[in-house]
Amino acid sequence: GSFVIDYAFSDAVVDSLIKLWTFLPTKVSEKTKVKTLCSRRNYFCDATGAVSRAIQTVLCDSLGCIPGDAMVFPYMRFLCYSKQGTDLAPHIDLCRVDADSGKRSTHSFLLYLTDCDAGGETTLIGDITGDARFKVLAKVSPRRGRLLLFPYRCPHEGLAVKDVPKLLIRGEVLLQSAANDY
């Protein structure tokens, strides 16, 4: 149920997404002021659908599905890890509901916008606690233009970043073929 698609987007598209990120405000909550988060978060609503459609096209072309089988939700987050040593503890993503359709996501996606030659891997693991926490199912290095798709219920963690910045877009997808499983 997990997929890695290398070279999902050209350098020109990735450059455009990085430029978009520079214009997005950073949301700072009271909680953030007290405790520093591991990453800077910039929220993005793809109102025109351009980014969602581009990701949907890559998914359908790579997975052999028809366009209606994959729905990329318009609300996304740009995450920037700018400090060496920052990591993300093992966790499971929440299922999201698309505000317009009322449909629930089945998968999370990460679109890496920068390379990290050392560290920063996203590791899919057996569980978030116990011995299964150490069972590595897959380890995905951040590579510019790489798209990682995994079921939202899949336990995962972000390993310590060594090469900075690590910049990615995170969002939700509904794969119709997987919807019956949830």
Side-chain angles (χ1 to χ4, degrees):
S2 300
F3 306 91
V4 174
I5 303 167
D6 283 331
Y7 310 107
F9 294 97
S10 68
D11 283 337
V13 171
V14 172
D15 287 342
S16 295
L17 291 169
I18 292 171
K19 186 173 183 177
L20 168 65
W21 168 69
T22 65
F23 290 102
L24 297 174
T26 301
K27 181 172 175 154
V28 179
S29 67
E30 291 303 315
K31 182 178 175 182
T32 306
K33 291 178 185 175
V34 175
K35 180 184 177 213
T36 304
L37 293 174
C38 59
S39 65
R40 171 181 158 191
R41 296 169 185 254
N42 301 81
Y43 293 87
F44 170 64
C45 176
D46 184 21
T48 66
V51 177
S52 300
R53 278 191 306 277
I55 294 170
Q56 180 178 302
T57 298
V58 167
L59 289 174
C60 287
D61 288 350
S62 299
L63 303 178
C65 61
I66 59 173
D69 287 345
M71 177 182 166
V72 177
F73 292 12
Y75 290 95
M76 304 172 197
R77 279 113 23 241
F78 283 75
L79 306 176
C80 181
Y81 296 78
S82 58
K83 295 180 183 172
Q84 288 183 337
T86 54
D87 60 5
L88 187 59
H91 67 283
I92 296 173
D93 290 343
L94 296 173
C95 172
R96 304 286 176 145
V97 177
D98 178 60
D100 291 332
S101 68
K103 295 182 179 182
R104 296 183 173 278
S105 64
T106 58
H107 290 70
S108 297
F109 77 81
L110 302 178
L111 173 58
Y112 300 100
L113 302 179
T114 57
D115 289 331
C116 290
D117 291 328
E121 297 92 343
T122 301
T123 304
L124 306 181
I125 55 178
D127 202 344
I128 57 174
T129 60
D131 290 340
R133 181 210 181 287
F134 301 105
K135 181 181 180 185
V136 175
L137 305 175
K139 188 184 283 188
V140 181
S141 297
R143 293 284 170 254
R144 183 179 166 94
R146 175 176 279 173
L147 183 64
L148 169 61
L149 181 75
F150 56 93
Y152 79 88
R153 293 180 178 174
C154 181
H156 59 285
E157 64 184 331
L159 300 183
V161 177
K162 295 177 184 172
D163 288 342
V164 292
K166 173 184 170 184
L167 179 62
L168 61 102
I169 300 175
R170 180 186 164 335
E172 286 74 39
V173 175
L174 165 64
L175 288 183
Q176 292 294 339
S177 60
N180 296 332
D181 298 336
Y182 293 97

